[in-house]
Amino acid sequence: MAKVIGSVVATQKDPSLVGRKLMIVQPINADEQPTRSQEVAADMVGAGIGERVLLVRGAGARHATVNDVQKDVNDCSIVGIIDSIDV
Amino acid sequence: MAKVIGSVVATQKDPSLVGRKLMIVQPINADEQPTRSQEVAADMVGAGIGERVLLVRGAGARHATVNDVQKDVNDCSIVGIIDSIDV
Amino acid sequence: MAKVIGSVVATQKDPSLVGRKLMIVQPINADEQPTRSQEVAADMVGAGIGERVLLVRGAGARHATVNDVQKDVNDCSIVGIIDSIDV
Amino acid sequence: MAKVIGSVVATQKDPSLVGRKLMIVQPINADEQPTRSQEVAADMVGAGIGERVLLVRGAGARHATVNDVQKDVNDCSIVGIIDSIDV
Amino acid sequence: MAKVIGSVVATQKDPSLVGRKLMIVQPINADEQPTRSQEVAADMVGAGIGERVLLVRGAGARHATVNDVQKDVNDCSIVGIIDSIDV
């Protein structure tokens, strides 16, 4: 789980990142307290600032594209917007 | 090892996550003390709240599906329910 | 490096874990002080409680099987028993 | 996110690292505070000392090469230079 | 980055580790302060005790072998000896 807290702009970047919305996410616990360090994640579901999201890393992050991206360097993706947390 | 502490609902999510039970898990030590930050894990064995479970991450998490899931983004799965811990 | 401190029993688990000895390991430094959180690891070399072992994670853990295991979910294996540590 | 803080020279190294600019990077949060430990990353976009960069690890880092590199050992690459951070 | 601080001997181990020099490494920052917990790494470049080295993990570690090793369990390799650090 993470919370979207901002975005980054990077003009000079790997071709596979072109056209992707790069958001800054803060990993959180169920009580919304920050846990790990912030990360940059490619937003694949149209998440907005302040929304709680599902985050995946590694090869799973590269599976989140609609079409196959050749030599995709991305290793962190937002793959869901959390409606509710029940603990 | 982890303990199931809750669940999340996310309507807007990657197609490969549709139909999966997404639980919130708290990684624990053998003495059930929390260790790492909480995570969302796809429940593949019908674990209930409060149960101690076996958690796997990365490609291993994607192998836990009965049928092959195309472009599976999942990177964390519950793959066992712990009956007993002996230390 | 880790020390074997116990074992877990899980009847309800992924088929690929059936028949495996699941041990609880405590990652340690050379001075045997605990470092990271405890983990469950599939024992591939017959390690006993109290023994210091070599631990691998991810795909390396899945390579430790004699025969190829289809859709292996395991992501942590004991692959060696440490005789001596020299620092 | 990370900040480029220096570089390393290693004459004796794996063939797949030959010809690569190896920079020292300090992972940071959006407020530029250091978060995780420093790492060595292969610079794929010509980043300079003091620049904030996008960092990827694992297989994603190996996808950042123009041509396919046989038996590439690299597991951390700089794949973008951050122009602006908006939080 | 890491510093080589010792070695381990393990007679009983996975076949893919036979013949490898298994060193104990302490991950460090540029100022040589310890950062993460110590690890066992397969030495692929003939590093000595006290030397600062380049460390890779996961699949990258398995690419560091001259010949392909079948079912290689190794997930951490020394792939370079650092001559100088410039920060």
Side-chain angles (χ1 to χ4, degrees):
Chain A
M1 293 169 289
K3 181 173 274 196
V4 180
I5 62 167
S7 59
V8 298
V9 172
T11 328
Q12 204 167 331
K13 57 181 178 274
D14 186 273
S16 66
L17 295 178
V18 171
R20 292 201 190 175
K21 234 175 91 189
L22 299 177
M23 309 303 283
I24 302 176
V25 294
Q26 169 61 65
I28 55 171
N29 271 343
D31 58 8
E32 304 202 19
Q33 291 309 302
T35 54
R36 299 168 50 151
S37 40
Q38 296 164 7
E39 298 177 63
V40 172
D43 177 16
M44 309 308 290
V45 289
I49 305 287
E51 292 204 285
R52 296 168 305 179
V53 295
L54 298 176
L55 207 56
V56 295
R57 297 182 183 85
R62 289 186 284 280
H63 292 168
T65 54
V66 176
N67 312 312
D68 283 338
V69 175
Q70 289 307 314
K71 295 176 69 87
D72 185 359
V73 302
N74 178 42
D75 68 352
C76 191
S77 292
I78 297 170
V79 294
I81 299 174
I82 295 177
D83 304 322
S84 63
I85 291 181
D86 179 19
V87 285
Chain B
M1 294 168 287
K3 180 174 274 195
V4 180
I5 62 167
S7 59
V8 297
V9 171
T11 329
Q12 203 166 332
K13 58 180 177 276
D14 187 274
S16 66
L17 295 178
V18 171
R20 294 203 186 173
K21 234 175 90 189
L22 299 176
M23 309 303 283
I24 301 176
V25 294
Q26 168 60 65
I28 55 172
N29 272 344
D31 56 9
E32 303 204 20
Q33 291 309 303
T35 54
R36 299 168 54 152
S37 40
Q38 296 164 8
E39 298 176 66
V40 171
D43 177 16
M44 310 307 290
V45 288
I49 304 286
E51 291 203 285
R52 296 168 306 179
V53 294
L54 299 176
L55 208 57
V56 295
R57 297 181 183 84
R62 288 186 286 279
H63 292 168
T65 54
V66 176
N67 312 310
D68 282 340
V69 175
Q70 290 307 313
K71 294 178 71 91
D72 185 358
V73 302
N74 178 42
D75 69 351
C76 190
S77 292
I78 297 170
V79 294
I81 298 173
I82 295 177
D83 304 322
S84 63
I85 290 181
D86 179 21
V87 286
Chain C
M1 295 170 285
K3 180 174 274 194
V4 179
I5 61 167
S7 59
V8 298
V9 172
T11 328
Q12 202 166 333
K13 58 180 177 276
D14 187 276
S16 66
L17 296 178
V18 170
R20 294 203 187 172
K21 233 175 90 190
L22 300 176
M23 310 302 285
I24 300 176
V25 294
Q26 169 60 66
I28 55 171
N29 271 343
D31 58 9
E32 303 204 21
Q33 292 308 304
T35 54
R36 299 168 54 154
S37 41
Q38 296 164 7
E39 298 176 65
V40 171
D43 177 15
M44 310 307 291
V45 288
I49 304 286
E51 291 204 284
R52 296 169 305 177
V53 293
L54 297 177
L55 206 57
V56 295
R57 297 179 183 84
R62 288 186 286 279
H63 293 168
T65 54
V66 176
N67 311 312
D68 284 339
V69 176
Q70 288 308 312
K71 295 178 70 92
D72 186 358
V73 302
N74 178 43
D75 69 351
C76 190
S77 292
I78 296 170
V79 295
I81 299 174
I82 294 177
D83 305 321
S84 64
I85 290 180
D86 179 19
V87 286
Chain D
M1 292 169 292
K3 182 173 272 195
V4 180
I5 63 167
S7 60
V8 297
V9 172
T11 329
Q12 203 165 333
K13 57 182 178 273
D14 186 274
S16 66
L17 295 178
V18 171
R20 292 203 189 173
K21 234 175 91 190
L22 299 179
M23 310 303 283
I24 301 176
V25 293
Q26 168 61 63
I28 55 172
N29 270 344
D31 58 10
E32 303 203 20
Q33 292 308 303
T35 54
R36 300 168 50 151
S37 40
Q38 295 165 7
E39 299 177 62
V40 171
D43 177 15
M44 310 307 290
V45 289
I49 303 285
E51 292 204 284
R52 297 169 303 179
V53 293
L54 298 177
L55 207 58
V56 295
R57 297 181 184 84
R62 289 186 285 278
H63 291 168
T65 54
V66 177
N67 311 313
D68 283 338
V69 176
Q70 288 307 315
K71 295 177 72 84
D72 187 357
V73 302
N74 179 42
D75 69 351
C76 190
S77 292
I78 297 170
V79 294
I81 299 174
I82 294 177
D83 304 320
S84 63
I85 291 181
D86 178 19
V87 285
Chain E
M1 293 170 289
K3 181 174 273 194
V4 180
I5 62 167
S7 59
V8 298
V9 172
T11 328
Q12 202 165 334
K13 58 182 178 274
D14 187 275
S16 65
L17 294 178
V18 170
R20 293 206 188 169
K21 232 175 91 190
L22 299 178
M23 309 303 284
I24 301 176
V25 294
Q26 168 61 63
I28 55 171
N29 271 344
D31 58 10
E32 303 204 21
Q33 292 309 304
T35 54
R36 299 169 51 152
S37 42
Q38 296 165 7
E39 299 178 63
V40 171
D43 177 15
M44 310 306 290
V45 289
I49 305 284
E51 291 204 284
R52 296 169 304 178
V53 293
L54 298 177
L55 207 57
V56 296
R57 298 179 183 86
R62 289 185 285 280
H63 292 168
T65 54
V66 177
N67 310 313
D68 283 339
V69 176
Q70 289 307 315
K71 293 179 71 88
D72 187 357
V73 302
N74 179 41
D75 69 351
C76 190
S77 292
I78 297 170
V79 294
I81 299 174
I82 294 176
D83 305 321
S84 63
I85 290 181
D86 179 19
V87 286

